[in-house]
Amino acid sequence: IFNALSATLRTLELDLIDYTCAESVMMSSDYDRLHHTPHYIMFIQINQSQAADEHLMNHSNDTRKPLKFKETSQNCIAIAKKLDQYLRDESYPYSSFRDKDSVGEPQVLLLREDAFQALRDYIIDNSLASPNQFKVPRVLNNRELVTLLWNFRN
C-alpha cells in the first residue's frame, strides 16, 4: 500500500506525511448502506502548506483539469482513482478482487494536521503502548480508532 500511495501522491506532486487504512466494514451501519461493495478507506495526511499553494490534477480523465486544493471531495476522488490504478498494477490479488467486484475502489480521506497526533495520544492513553516505541498502525481494526480519524477529515 505504501508504494502505491507514495507513487500516487508523487504523480500529483504532493508529499505524504502519514497514512493508515481500514476496511469499510469498520464504519457504522449507516455508512455501509451507502457503499454496498466493501472497500478500503485510506486516511492520509499530506503536507498542508504545500497543498495550499498547489493544485491537484484530475487524472480520472485525460483533460488533466486542475483542481483547487480546497475542493476536498474532488481531490479525494482524483487520488482514489489514481491509487486504485497503482494498486491494480502492483498487486495481482487486489486487481483480481477489483475485476470480480469483490472489493470496491478505495476511499481516500484527507486528514487535518493534528489527526495522527490525536491517534497516537488515544492509543497511548488507552493501551499499554509506550510513547517511545509507538508506531502508527498501518491497518486499523478497531472501530473507535476508525471513528476518531473519520472525525479529523478535512
Side-chain angles (χ1 to χ4, degrees), residues 64-126:
R64 298 171 73 78
K65 175 184 165 194
L67 297 171
K68 292 180 183 174
F69 185 78
K70 292 180 182 175
E71 298 169 4
T72 305
S73 63
Q74 289 180 355
N75 290 337
C76 290
I77 291 169
I79 294 170
K81 288 194 178 304
K82 195 70 169 169
L83 175 60
D84 184 53
Q85 189 57 55
Y86 275 104
L87 286 170
R88 283 174 176 257
D89 292 346
E90 289 193 16
S91 171
Y92 174 77
Y94 177 82
S95 182
S96 177
F97 286 134
R98 287 287 287 126
D99 290 343
K100 295 174 190 169
D101 206 27
S102 298
V103 172
E105 185 175 277
Q107 178 181 9
V108 171
L109 297 175
L110 298 176
L111 301 179
R112 297 191 323 243
E113 291 180 16
D114 54 345
F116 283 96
Q117 183 61 48
L119 178 67
R120 178 187 189 280
D121 294 344
Y122 183 88
I123 291 173
I124 289 171
D125 291 345
N126 293 286

Side-chain angles (χ1 to χ4, degrees), residues 18-21 116 119-120 123 134-141 145 149:
D18 215 338
Y19 78 97
T20 191
C21 67
F116 283 96
L119 178 67
R120 178 187 189 280
I123 291 173
F134 178 80
K135 290 183 182 180
V136 172
R138 295 303 171 205
V139 177
L140 299 178
N141 54 16
L145 298 178
L149 286 184

Side-chain angles (χ1 to χ4, degrees), residues 23 42 58 61-62 85 94 105 118 138 148 152-153:
E23 295 178 4
M42 301 297 303
N58 183 352
N61 57 40
D62 290 331
Q85 189 57 55
Y94 177 82
E105 185 175 277
R138 295 303 171 205
L148 176 96
F152 275 90
R153 65 191 188 278

